[in-house]
């Protein structure tokens, strides 16, 4: 490449035309999302394109964009669609597209240094602190999601227990740390135990009650038993919004147990923590403000485009001591580009980090906490309504109480029970997904396979719920149920 050439376009006017057309595509895509199939698998031609060999030669920009248009864009997960009810997915916002574009323009590395993106992320963390009642001086950092936020929290919890030695020597030695969570807790906690070398055999899954919340008596018994066998309890995880049923552990009760037992108290509020924005739901989160750390996602119920999670840690100095390192090539200065200490890399594993904060900042500024809270409240109302509709139809049966925004139920296919009924409902969920009308996921509750509807979608209307049930009934009849 000659020195006066670069990877920038040779013809900026042409680039501008193509880029404007791409933005129009994005806007059309979101404005017409309701008219499309919720989900469809990529066809063979699209897959063939995505399996073509590594290109050595450059291609025309129009060609590349056109490939995205026909082979990639139509085959998304589907979660921008108002009838995507699977798993726990956020729906995104059109402004998020603009934020991503601006962030890519700046191409900031938010591992550290002195620049505007760092100040935006600091403000986002400060807003999160305000929302959850964490004190000034507590720390936080944006992450890929709650899974990584959990790793950070548990690393801090381990550092709290083992001190500097934990960093130098790992978990080896005579101390056997154990942690506690609900049997309904997310697998992200198990994975973090494994990754950090704590071992998932040292994570106790405490049984839940009829509302799928952790039993305090069983928890206290388990802690007692572990101490009696020479183990060292160090961590208690409460869940604010379980993934199966949207249940909330008694966060204040767990805070008391953690304080009495000297445990690090972590709260997993991946999606449920967003309920703090809705005045009618905020009491569910009482006790969260006493946690040592809280993990939650902006990309789920707060609709920031993927990916954007967050960890808050009450003890900033401990958080920094868990991750900060002194290396000559990352030495900080009082002034200049290498200023701005502490750096975000001092609170996380990543050094190079994108400007995730901009899309979070945009979303919160555009809608304000009140409107975001209203969207949460609407979904909770819709879940209650769906439960009512289900109870009003003979062939459906609720399989769990509706605690928040998640409805688990099944279709009672005639003449089927046990494994045959489970298989029928699995087939029904797949048929629904393949119909393009709606997407639900599946889970197992009390040994029964359940259709699982999660509503974390600001685009969902009440009429979508009726259409969901009508379509399930039609497909079930076609399947011979
Ligand atoms: C989604 C979820 C997680 C994992 O979060 P990611 O952002 O997907 O990594 C953890 N806990 C709960 C309760 C969740 O719903």
């Amino acid at each position: 490449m000659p020195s006066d050439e670069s990877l920038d376009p040779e013809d900026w006017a042409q680039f501008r035309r193509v880029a404007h057309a791409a933005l129009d595509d994005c806007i059309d895509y979101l404005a017409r999302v309701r008219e499309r199939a919720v989900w469809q698998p990529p066809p063979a031609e699209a897959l063939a394109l995505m399996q073509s060999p590594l290109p050595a030669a450059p291609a025309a920009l129009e060609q590349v964009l056109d490939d995205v248009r026909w082979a990639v864009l139509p085959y998304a997960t589907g979660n921008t669609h108002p009838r995507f009810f699977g798993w726990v997915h956020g729906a995104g916002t059109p402004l998020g597209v603009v934020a991503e574009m601006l962030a890519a323009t700046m191409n900031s590395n938010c591992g550290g240094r002195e620049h505007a993106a760092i100040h935006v992320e600091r403000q986002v963390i400060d807003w999160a602190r305000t929302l959850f009642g964490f004190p000034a001086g507590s720390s936080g950092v944006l992450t890929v999601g709650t899974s990584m936020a959990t790793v950070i929290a548990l690393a801090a919890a381990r550092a709290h227990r083992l001190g500097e030695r934990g960093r130098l020597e790992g978990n080896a030695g005579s101390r056997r740390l154990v942690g506690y969570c609900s049997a309904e807790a997310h697998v992200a906690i198990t994975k973090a135990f494994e990754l950090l070398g704590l071992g998932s055999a040292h994570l106790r899954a405490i049984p839940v009650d009829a509302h799928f919340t952790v039993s305090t008596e069983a928890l206290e018994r388990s802690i007692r038993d572990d101490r009696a066998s020479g183990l060292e309890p160090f961590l208690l995880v409460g869940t604010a919004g379980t993934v199966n049923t949207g249940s909330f552990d008694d966060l204040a009760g767990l805070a008391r147990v953690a304080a009495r037992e000297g445990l690090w108290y972590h709260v997993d509020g991946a999606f449920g923590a967003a309920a703090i924005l809705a005045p009618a739901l905020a009491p569910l989160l009482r006790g969260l403000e006493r946690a040592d750390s809280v993990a939650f996602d902006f990309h789920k119920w707060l609709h920031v485009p993927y990916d954007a999670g967050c960890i808050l840690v009450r003890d900033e100095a401990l958080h920094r001591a868990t991750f900060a390192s002194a290396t000559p090539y990352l030495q900080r200065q009082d002034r200049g580009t290498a200023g701005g200490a502490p750096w975000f890399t001092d609170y996380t594993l990543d050094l190079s980090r994108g400007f995730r904060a901009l899309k979070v900042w945009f979303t919160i500024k555009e809608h304000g906490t009140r409107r975001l809270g209203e969207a949460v409240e609407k979904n909770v109302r819709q879940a209650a309504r769906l439960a009512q509709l289900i109870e009003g139809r003979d062939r459906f049966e609720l399989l769990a109480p509706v605690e928040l925004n998640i409805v688990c139920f099944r279709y009672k296919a005639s003449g089927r029970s046990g494994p045959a009924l489970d298989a029928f409902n699995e087939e029904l969920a797949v048929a629904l997904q393949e119909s393009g009308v709606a997407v639900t996921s599946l889970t197992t509750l009390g040994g029964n396979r359940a259709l699982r509807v999660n509503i974390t979608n600001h685009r969902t209307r009440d009429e979508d719920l009726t259409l969901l049930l009508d379509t399930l009934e039609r497909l079930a009849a076609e399947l011979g149920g």
Side-chain angles (χ1 to χ4, degrees):
M1 186 185 282
S3 85
D4 59 348
E5 272 185 29
S6 74
L7 297 177
D8 287 338
E10 272 174 38
D11 180 350
W12 280 98
Q14 185 236 12
F15 177 80
R16 187 183 300 273
R17 270 193 313 279
V18 176
H20 276 260
L23 181 58
D24 280 338
D25 287 341
C26 295
I27 295 169
D28 287 344
Y29 183 93
L30 291 175
R32 299 206 191 119
V33 66
R34 183 172 275 281
E35 298 161 24
R36 275 199 311 277
V38 179
W39 173 86
Q40 50 188 341
E45 320 83 81
L47 293 177
L49 180 86
M50 289 181 254
Q51 288 156 11
S52 54
L54 174 70
L61 178 56
E62 281 101 333
Q63 181 61 51
V64 180
L65 252 171
D66 206 50
D67 285 346
V68 174
R69 254 180 218 126
W70 73 264
V72 182
L73 200 54
Y75 309 107
T77 327
N79 48 304
T80 56
H81 194 287
R83 286 189 298 278
F84 187 95
F85 302 122
W87 303 277
V88 185
H89 281 40
T93 65
L95 195 72
V97 175
V98 178
E100 288 284 66
M101 192 177 70
L102 292 168
T105 302
M106 293 176 74
N107 196 26
S108 298
N109 185 336
C110 298
R113 291 159 283 264
E114 172 58 43
H115 53 102
I118 297 297
H119 294 280
V120 172
E121 184 160 346
R122 285 198 187 133
Q123 181 164 39
V124 164
I125 297 300
D126 194 47
W127 287 344
R129 217 184 258 137
T130 305
L131 271 180
F132 296 115
F134 265 51
S138 52
S139 48
V141 61
L142 295 182
T143 60
V144 175
T146 290
S147 300
M148 187 46 102
T150 305
V151 170
I152 294 171
L154 269 49
R158 181 178 62 183
H160 175 65
R161 183 55 63 124
L162 298 181
E164 180 73 7
R165 225 197 89 210
R167 276 188 84 166
L168 297 177
E169 298 171 18
N171 300 325
S174 55
R175 294 171 74 170
R176 290 180 297 161
L177 305 186
V178 282
Y180 305 83
C181 65
S182 139
E184 289 291 307
H186 197 274
V187 71
I189 297 151
T190 313
K191 283 194 185 181
F193 258 71
E194 291 170 355
L195 181 68
L196 291 167
L198 293 160
S200 46
H202 297 126
L203 176 63
R204 306 279 180 254
I206 306 298
V208 292
D209 63 17
H211 289 275
F212 296 88
T213 63
V214 74
S215 148
T216 315
E217 296 88 80
L219 169 66
E220 291 181 315
R221 202 173 325 119
S222 186
I223 295 172
R224 249 193 333 271
D225 290 350
D226 282 333
R227 287 203 202 281
S229 358
L231 298 175
E232 189 174 340
F234 84 111
L235 168 81
L236 174 59
V237 179
T239 302
T242 60
V243 69
N244 265 339
T245 62
S247 301
F248 282 70
D249 285 335
D250 170 10
L251 298 181
L254 294 188
R256 282 191 293 276
V257 174
R260 194 164 58 235
E261 299 284 345
L263 311 180
W264 180 279
Y265 183 34
H266 173 70
V267 172
D268 176 357
F271 68 94
I276 202 129
L277 297 181
L281 303 169
L284 289 168
L285 290 152
R286 226 170 263 147
L288 174 77
E289 73 288 347
R290 288 157 68 184
D292 293 297
S293 53
V294 55
F296 66 98
D297 283 321
F298 286 107
H299 60 212
K300 285 180 172 169
W301 222 350
L302 296 170
H303 305 300
V304 172
Y306 285 91
D307 43 40
C310 186
I311 182 71
L312 291 180
V313 177
R314 177 175 302 278
D315 182 343
E316 185 275 341
L318 176 79
H319 188 183
R320 192 152 33 89
T322 308
F323 289 98
S325 284
T327 45
Y329 50 87
L330 292 176
Q331 175 123 35
R332 321 297 155 87
Q333 307 290 147
D334 291 338
R335 289 169 33 237
T337 315
W343 290 3
F344 276 111
T345 190
D346 298 336
Y347 300 112
T348 184
L349 201 61
D350 301 317
L351 174 56
S352 296
R353 310 171 59 247
F355 191 5
R356 273 192 198 103
L358 190 64
K359 56 192 176 184
V360 179
W361 199 69
F362 253 71
T363 306
I364 295 175
K365 280 169 91 82
E366 187 195 13
H367 297 293
T369 54
R370 188 174 344 121
R371 209 161 151 70
L372 290 170
E374 284 165 3
V376 167
E377 216 167 84
K378 173 180 94 157
N379 289 160
V380 171
R381 207 169 54 233
Q382 287 173 322
R385 183 183 162 82
L386 178 63
Q388 249 176 8
L389 292 173
I390 286 169
E391 283 181 318
R393 297 198 188 200
D394 290 346
R395 306 304 294 271
F396 292 114
E397 170 186 23
L398 283 177
L399 289 183
V402 175
E403 305 290 344
L404 193 71
N405 64 320
I406 296 174
V407 184
C408 292
F409 64 110
R410 67 177 166 185
Y411 186 87
K412 293 183 282 182
S414 52
R416 289 181 177 84
S417 59
L421 186 55
D422 288 345
F424 185 88
N425 277 277
E426 289 196 0
E427 191 52 41
L428 184 56
V430 174
L432 180 72
Q433 292 159 3
E434 289 178 342
S435 76
V437 177
V439 165
T440 73
S441 53
L442 288 151
T443 191
T444 301
L445 288 170
N448 298 311
R449 290 300 270 164
L451 301 170
R452 180 179 161 287
V453 167
N454 161 82
I455 318 181
T456 46
N457 193 322
H458 59 89
R459 298 193 178 98
T460 302
R461 297 177 187 158
D462 289 359
E463 70 215 41
D464 292 315
L465 309 174
T466 313
L467 182 56
L468 167 71
L469 295 185
D470 290 349
T471 309
L472 282 171
E473 279 177 346
R474 173 172 62 77
L475 293 169
E478 284 170 23
L479 290 170

